[in-house]
């Protein structure tokens, strides 16, 4: 024990003596060790920074390729999806299909060919395998043909078989088309349904694959970068077959998420960094990016070798590394600052979009209404709106194709158009027509909107509506849920010559109308299962008696429980309208029937005077009421019936002790005074249009003016509180 302590003390004494004798050398050794330690720490820190930088760089490159491919495919998908509507409308004219396919190829330079393939023997007078097809031959030539035959059975082909059996759109595996395009192509097919919703064929477009190689070789940060594009069945779409590709393919097959990163050794034991992700959309394509480890870290390794040189050179290079690291950190700071700025702008955009929506409640005795919109992103493409004018509830709900900022901008335009065109128009079909015509102007992005638009007459419960490709609303009453019958029309923004029709139905008291977008039925849980229309009907039926706000909350909670932790995939928008007409307790009712003769005005004046005296209306208000009602009656006498035709006009006046309601009924020509714009009294007499002042007078005096055309009769209702 004593010997060990003695030896330790001697060793420490010798070390202290060496330090004293060789102070400079000790400092150099300590500096060298500190430099080596610093070098090692900085090397691994720089390696991590470069690794993250490379990952972001690769992500940007892959995003650029992804966007390029998705934009091209999305244009094809939108065009073919829209043409499925057109084909559906023209099923009764098989020969017209040749014109449709030729127009699709002519109007879409990216299409090599297009066709409509039908199930065997769909048209008895045509070939068994009827398949009108048009193909581009050169720049200016388009050839149309009947492609199907006993020798060319399209029902076995991928582009036909999958859409028909699975009843959904599908991108086919790449193949060489010997019969039509005569090139290596992939085909996008969409099922075509008849009037009974049966799949009777497929409308499709052929796309050449030669452009993919150019896209895959663009903007390479490293010259040795290899990129590959494969299908869901692991067929190579772009890139060259090589050993590293086959290694990457094995990793991709073993990964369930089809998205990730790994490092492997190639046949020469060189490290390769492999990144892979899905293209998305309606394809099952996957993108693979391979980087050489030497290219990624070659600069860092040269720096490390330089740091092993003499001390001064090592210190200089240490400063260089610090400088480079600081630049990377500054670049990262700028990226984060830009990210925060974009996030702030999106927050403002979201607030602006929410401010465009109507107030949650409308204070009206005859109706209760509540709506909600939950966007999948910061801003969304869904919309709803409602307001009351002339005792009529105007409302709409819509879904813009796509997501994000472009859809939100279109949402704002459609919202403004609805407000503008419904300000002086009561026919929902006419409003829809006007919105569609404006939306088609300059719509180069082919963005369309499914839209449901309704006008509910509050006194009568008559609902007039028009549907432009939107999901049919539900009617709820006494625990029952039923879907309103809607006529199919093309969505807004597809063609400017679409003719929209009007439908109507009667809402009984305490019936709730429920409207929604497909974000409700297509809400997905973690297993990718959809909420579905059946669950919607069950929830609505179970909560049919609730107030609209409580009803929407019940539906929202049901969706939340179903979806769980899954990310919201689409905007969720709902609108509930409960019709609760207030019963008018009549304490006085007087009726007068006169002819359309100006001499009858004196009889009407006596009638009005008698009613005013019976109600004990204050004199100045009585004069105003008599003036307004007389103006409306005289207008009917002068213009309701053609010259020379005799007709009757019924004037019914009723009161509940507080409100006077006047109903003027005639069987003359249809004329809606509430749809006429108010006369501009600020203009001079020479500049002002003739007419409109009488209607302005009636509007100014009365609390509400409502018009309806029912059973070929004009019914004008004037309401005024007098007590």
């Amino acid at each position: 024990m004593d010997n060990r302590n003695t030896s330790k003390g001697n060793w420490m004494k010798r070390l202290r003596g060496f330090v004293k004798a060789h102070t400079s050398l000790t400092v150099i050794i300590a500096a060298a060790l500190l430099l080596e330690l610093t070098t090692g720490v900085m090397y691994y820190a720089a390696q991590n920074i470069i690794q993250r930088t490379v990952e972001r760089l690769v992500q940007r490159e892959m995003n650029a390729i992804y966007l390029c491919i998705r934009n091209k495919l999305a244009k094809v998908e939108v065009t073919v999806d829209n043409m499925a509507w057109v084909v559906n409308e023209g099923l009764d004219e098989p020969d017209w299909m040749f014109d449709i396919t030729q127009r699709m190829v002519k109007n879409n330079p990216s299409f090599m060919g297009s066709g409509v393939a039908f199930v065997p023997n769909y048209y008895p007078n045509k070939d068994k395998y009827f398949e009108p097809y048009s193909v581009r031959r050169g720049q200016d030539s388009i050839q149309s043909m009947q492609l199907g035959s006993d020798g060319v059975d399209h029902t076995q082909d991928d582009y036909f078989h999958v859409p028909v059996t699975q009843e959904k759109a599908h991108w086919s595996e790449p193949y060489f088309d010997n019969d039509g395009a005569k090139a290596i192509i992939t085909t996008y097919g969409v099922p075509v349904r008849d009037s009974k919703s049966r799949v009777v064929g497929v409308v499709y477009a052929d796309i050449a694959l030669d452009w993919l190689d150019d896209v895959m070789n663009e903007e390479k940060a490293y010259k040795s970068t290899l990129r590959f594009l494969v299908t869901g069945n692991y067929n190579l779409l772009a890139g060259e077959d090589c050993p590293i590709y086959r290694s990457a393919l094995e990793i991709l097959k073993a990964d369930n998420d089809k998205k990730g990163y790994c490092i492997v050794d190639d046949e020469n034991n060189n490290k390769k960094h492999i990144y892979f992700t899905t293209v998305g959309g309606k394809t099952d394509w996957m993108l693979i990016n391979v980087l050489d480890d030497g290219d990624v870290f070659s600069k860092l390794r040269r720096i490390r070798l330089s740091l092993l040189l003499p001390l001064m050179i090592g210190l200089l290079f240490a400063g260089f590394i610090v400088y480079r690291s600081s630049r990377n950190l500054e670049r990262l700071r700028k990226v984060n600052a830009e990210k925060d700025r974009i996030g702030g702008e999106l927050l403002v955009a979201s607030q602006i979009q929410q401010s465009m929506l109507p107030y949650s409640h409308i204070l009206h005795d005859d109706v209760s209404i509540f709506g909600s919109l939950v966007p999948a992103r910061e801003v969304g493409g869904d919309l709803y709106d409602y307001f009351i004018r002339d005792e009529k509830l105007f409302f709409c709900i819509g879904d813009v194709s796509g997501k994000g900022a472009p859809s939100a901008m279109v949402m704002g335009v459609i919202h403004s158009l609805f407000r503008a065109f419904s300000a002086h128009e009561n026919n929902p079909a006419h409003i829809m027509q006007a919105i569609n015509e404006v939306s088609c102007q300059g719509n180069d992005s082919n963005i369309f909107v499914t839209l449901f638009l309704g006008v509910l007459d509050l006194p009568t419960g008559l609902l007039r509506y028009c549907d432009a490709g939107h999901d049919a609303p539900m009617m709820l009453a006494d625990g029952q849920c039923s879907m309103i019958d809607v006529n199919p029309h093309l969505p807004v923004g597809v063609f400017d010559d679409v003719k929209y029709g009007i439908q109507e139905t009667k809402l009984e008291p305490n019936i709730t109308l429920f409207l929604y977008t497909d974000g409700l039925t297509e809400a997905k849980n973690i297993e990718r299962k959809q909420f579905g229309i059946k669950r919607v009907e069950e929830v609505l039926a179970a909560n049919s008696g609730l107030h609209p706000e409580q009803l929407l909350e019940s539906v929202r909670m049901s969706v939340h429980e179903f979806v769980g932790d899954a990310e919201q995939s689409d905007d969720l928008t709902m609108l509930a309208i409960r019709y609760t007409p207030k019963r008018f307790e009549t304490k006085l009712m007087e009726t007068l029937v006169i002819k359309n003769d100006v001499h009858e005005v004196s009889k009407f004046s006596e009638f009005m005077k008698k009613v005013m005296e019976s109600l004990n209306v204050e004199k100045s208000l009585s004069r105003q009421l008599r003036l307004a009602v007389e103006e409306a009656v005289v207008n009917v006498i002068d213009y309701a019936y053609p010259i020379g035709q005799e007709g009757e006009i019924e004037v019914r006046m009723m009161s509940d002790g507080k409100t006077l309601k006047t109903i003027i009924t005639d069987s003359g020509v249809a004329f809606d005074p509430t749809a006429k714009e108010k006369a501009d009294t600020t203009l001079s007499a020479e500049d002002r249009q003739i007419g409109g002042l009488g209607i302005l007078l009636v509007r100014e005096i009365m609390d509400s003016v409502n018009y309806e055309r029912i059973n070929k009769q004009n019914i004008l209702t004037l309401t005024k509180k007098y007590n």
Side-chain angles (χ1 to χ4, degrees), residues 40 123 180 354 404 661 692 704:
Y123 293 109
Q354 290 294 326
K661 181 180 291 186
S704 67

Side-chain angles (χ1 to χ4, degrees), residues 675-687:
K676 186 175 180 61
E677 294 188 22
K678 294 181 179 180
D680 190 351
T681 57
T682 63
L683 299 176
S684 64
E686 293 79 6
D687 297 332

Side-chain angles (χ1 to χ4, degrees), residues 187-448:
T187 300
Y188 177 69
V190 177
V192 174
R193 301 176 183 273
D194 61 11
S195 60
K196 297 181 179 179
S197 297
R198 297 175 301 190
V199 178
V200 299
V202 174
V203 57
Y204 63 87
D206 296 334
I207 308 298
L209 298 177
D210 50 1
W211 59 275
L212 286 173
D213 287 324
D214 295 333
V215 173
M216 297 291 286
N217 291 318
E218 289 180 352
E219 300 181 1
K220 288 185 177 181
Y222 302 98
K223 293 182 179 180
S224 63
T225 298
L226 297 177
R227 293 174 180 154
F228 310 95
L229 186 66
V230 299
T231 68
N233 292 332
Y234 307 106
N235 292 318
L236 185 63
L237 286 168
E240 296 181 0
D241 191 0
C242 59
I244 191 61
Y245 161 71
R246 290 190 288 272
S247 298
L249 203 60
E250 293 300 320
I251 296 172
L252 190 61
K253 291 179 180 179
D255 192 288
N256 294 328
D257 294 334
K258 309 302 180 187
K259 185 175 182 179
Y261 161 76
C262 65
I263 300 176
V264 298
D265 293 331
D266 64 7
E267 65 276 11
N268 297 321
N269 292 324
N270 295 321
K271 288 185 178 181
K272 299 290 184 180
H273 300 257
I274 299 178
Y275 302 83
F276 51 93
T277 185
T278 57
V279 173
K282 297 181 180 179
T283 71
D284 55 5
W285 298 357
M286 291 163 284
L287 181 63
I288 303 173
N289 201 91
V290 180
L291 297 182
D292 184 82
D293 185 84
D295 279 349
V296 175
F297 296 108
S298 58
K299 291 184 180 180
L300 183 61
R301 287 169 183 155
R302 286 196 296 270
I303 293 173
R304 185 184 184 189
L305 291 175
S306 298
L307 290 174
L308 297 177
L309 294 175
L311 179 61
M312 293 304 297
I313 298 176
L315 292 174
L316 291 175
F317 275 95
F320 174 74
I321 292 176
V322 171
Y323 169 73
R324 290 295 301 271
S325 299
S326 64
R327 286 193 61 186
N328 288 336
L329 292 174
E330 177 63 19
R331 191 179 298 114
L332 180 61
R333 186 193 65 78
K334 291 181 179 179
V335 169
N336 290 333
E338 180 67 12
K339 182 179 178 181
D340 292 339
R341 183 188 66 81
I342 295 174
E345 292 179 353
L346 287 176
L347 177 61
V348 173
S350 176
Q351 293 172 347
I352 293 174
Q353 185 181 36
Q354 290 294 326
S355 68
M356 296 175 65
L357 299 175
Y359 293 111
S360 296
H361 299 283
I362 284 183
L363 298 177
H364 199 283
D365 293 333
D366 295 330
V367 68
S368 299
I369 184 168
F370 191 85
S372 70
L373 190 158
V374 181
R377 300 181 182 177
E378 289 83 355
V379 290
D382 282 4
L383 71 140
Y384 72 87
D385 195 10
Y386 51 81
F387 66 93
I388 292 178
R389 174 177 65 81
D390 297 327
E391 293 297 300
K392 289 180 173 59
L393 173 67
F394 294 77
F395 61 93
C396 70
I397 188 169
D399 185 359
V400 183
S401 61
K403 299 181 182 68
S407 298
M409 294 176 65
V410 175
M411 172 269 193
V413 172
I414 297 298
H415 178 273
S416 300
L417 292 177
F418 167 73
R419 284 277 177 161
F421 291 128
S422 57
H424 302 290
E425 175 60 60
N426 295 339
N427 189 322
H430 293 172
I431 299 173
M432 189 78 76
Q433 192 85 33
I435 293 175
N436 179 62
E437 291 174 359
V438 176
S439 300
C440 289
Q441 297 175 7
N443 187 12
D444 298 331
S445 300
N446 296 320
I447 295 179
F448 61 89

